[in-house]
Amino acid sequence: MLSWTCPAPLRHQPRVVMGHGGGGAMSAELVDHIFAPAFGGEVLAQLGDAAAVTLGGTRLAFSTDSYVVRPLFFPGGSIGDLAVNGTVNDLAMSGARAAYLSCAFILEEGVEMPVLARVAEAIGAAARAAGVEVATGDTKVVESGHGDGIYVNTAGIGLIPAGVDLRPQRVVPGDVVIVSGAIGAHGVAVMSVREGLEFEAEIESDSAPLGGLVAAMLAVTPDLHVLRDPTRGGLAASLNEIAAAARVGVVVRERAVPVPPAVANACSVLGLDPMYVANEGKLVAFVPPEHADAVLAAMRAHPLGAGAVVIGEAVADHPGTVVARTGLGGTRVVDLPVGEQLPRIC
């Protein structure tokens, strides 16, 4: 049986290792012990998908992200639409509709112009689909052998509507946990191409812009507590980050978590847990119970939330810990990943 997992590197490394980029405990160590002390600031301390700032009396969401996915093109997407959708979605998790993006390329000498053009076209098409404008950018070239083809960085800004306050510190016991659809497709789609694997059914990335779905949810009530898009580290990482920041426990009903059969089968072959596999077009929401049914209905009425389901709730017990109730009636702890199962997937 194949087992395509990224070895978990030892903690407290004297040098950067691949696990530091996985969105798990090692990534958190970089932020907590190197970046946050060096940068300081109350806004950075929020550690959200996007920073919520007030400028000239206007509330803005501001975010940046870099994309190093390999391969550049995969079923259902490419580094180009990831670069747009990823930043648009980070802004959406603050309740903002993205307005403008920057786009910076780091190119390795020798990249073929048709490949670069194809990536640029994908960025343009994704931006138009998301209703956002690429307003500024930059290009750098490094010597052959000092890069990996094409890296892309995007940053974005958007307006946060009045009355919207999305942050994990607002989560309280009793909040309902909703996921917008089936998980795991993006990471498996990238890995299948990278390793030349074939499954019974082709698995495509779920890459998509979530601004419209979030707007539909906020139209029901602005009193959503927190939203996250579970990218690096998957659903497990997002739930753990929220539980730790809110100082609540989270209980997930394992059988309620939607995993497509093709993804489940692929993860079984690859030795992966779908809860830790990256997504690029899904969100997880913590919603007050009195609004949960209406928000769920609004999500299901939107194309990108048609598969939305309730998967659990926030509880007062075991603060900072996520547990899953299994189909056999037991429970297991869903830890924050140390490194990452699949490197270079976004």
Side-chain angles (χ1 to χ4, degrees):
M1 179 177 291
L2 297 174
S3 181
W4 296 98
T5 58
C6 182
L10 297 175
R11 307 283 287 276
H12 312 297
Q13 286 279 336
R15 292 180 173 83
V16 172
V17 296
M18 288 299 293
H20 285 119
M26 295 188 73
S27 294
E29 287 181 356
L30 283 185
V31 173
D32 293 341
H33 299 298
I34 294 182
F35 300 137
F39 301 159
E42 295 181 1
V43 176
L44 180 64
Q46 299 172 13
L47 295 180
D49 286 339
V53 300
T54 300
L55 188 63
T58 301
R59 292 184 69 220
L60 297 173
F62 177 40
S63 185
T64 186
D65 210 340
S66 299
Y67 299 86
V68 297
V69 63
R70 179 172 58 87
L72 298 176
F73 306 96
F74 45 83
S78 70
I79 193 173
D81 49 77
L82 277 189
V84 173
N85 293 338
T87 296
V88 165
N89 293 347
D90 283 346
L91 296 172
M93 297 308 105
S94 294
R97 288 296 292 263
Y100 297 101
L101 298 182
S102 69
C103 181
F105 288 90
I106 299 175
L107 307 175
E108 183 183 13
E109 183 183 24
V111 170
E112 296 178 353
M113 288 296 180
V115 173
L116 177 58
R118 187 177 170 191
V119 171
E121 289 166 0
I123 289 173
R128 289 187 290 272
V132 65
E133 180 179 348
V134 178
T136 187
D138 182 54
T139 303
K140 295 291 188 297
V141 177
V142 298
E143 297 90 342
S144 179
H146 290 261
D148 192 12
I150 299 175
Y151 299 150
V152 181
N153 173 275
T154 48
I157 58 172
L159 295 174
I160 300 175
V164 174
D165 182 16
L166 298 174
R167 49 192 172 89
Q169 291 78 11
R170 296 194 62 219
V171 173
V172 295
D175 279 359
V176 175
V177 182
I178 303 173
V179 67
S180 64
I183 65 169
H186 173 71
V188 174
V190 173
M191 180 58 71
S192 67
V193 176
R194 185 185 301 171
E195 302 299 338
L197 302 174
E198 294 185 2
F199 302 105
E200 291 183 2
E202 183 178 62
I203 300 171
E204 293 190 351
S205 171
D206 61 347
S207 177
L210 297 173
L213 175 60
V214 172
M217 297 166 67
L218 292 174
V220 173
T221 174
D223 190 28
L224 307 178
H225 283 170
V226 70
L227 302 176
R228 283 289 170 88
D229 59 331
T231 53
R232 293 180 304 164
L235 181 61
S238 292
L239 293 176
N240 272 277
E241 290 167 0
I242 293 169
R247 297 183 176 86
V248 300
V250 175
V251 176
V252 173
R253 293 182 291 279
E254 194 169 55
R255 286 188 173 178
V257 178
V259 181
V263 170
N265 292 338
C267 285
S268 178
V269 170
L270 298 170
L272 304 176
D273 183 340
M275 289 277 285
Y276 293 90
V277 176
N279 313 271
E280 289 292 346
K282 299 295 185 296
L283 63 81
V284 58
F286 282 66
V287 181
E290 63 270 23
H291 299 309
D293 288 343
V295 170
L296 182 62
M299 294 174 73
R300 289 176 171 172
H302 191 279
L304 295 179
V309 293
V310 173
I311 62 168
E313 55 277 326
V315 298
D317 296 335
H318 50 79
T321 301
V322 180
V323 301
R325 290 178 179 160
T326 68
L328 298 177
T331 60
R332 66 179 180 94
V333 174
V334 181
D335 287 323
L336 183 70
V338 175
E340 61 184 336
Q341 294 187 108
L342 302 176
R344 303 282 302 277
I345 44 75
C346 62

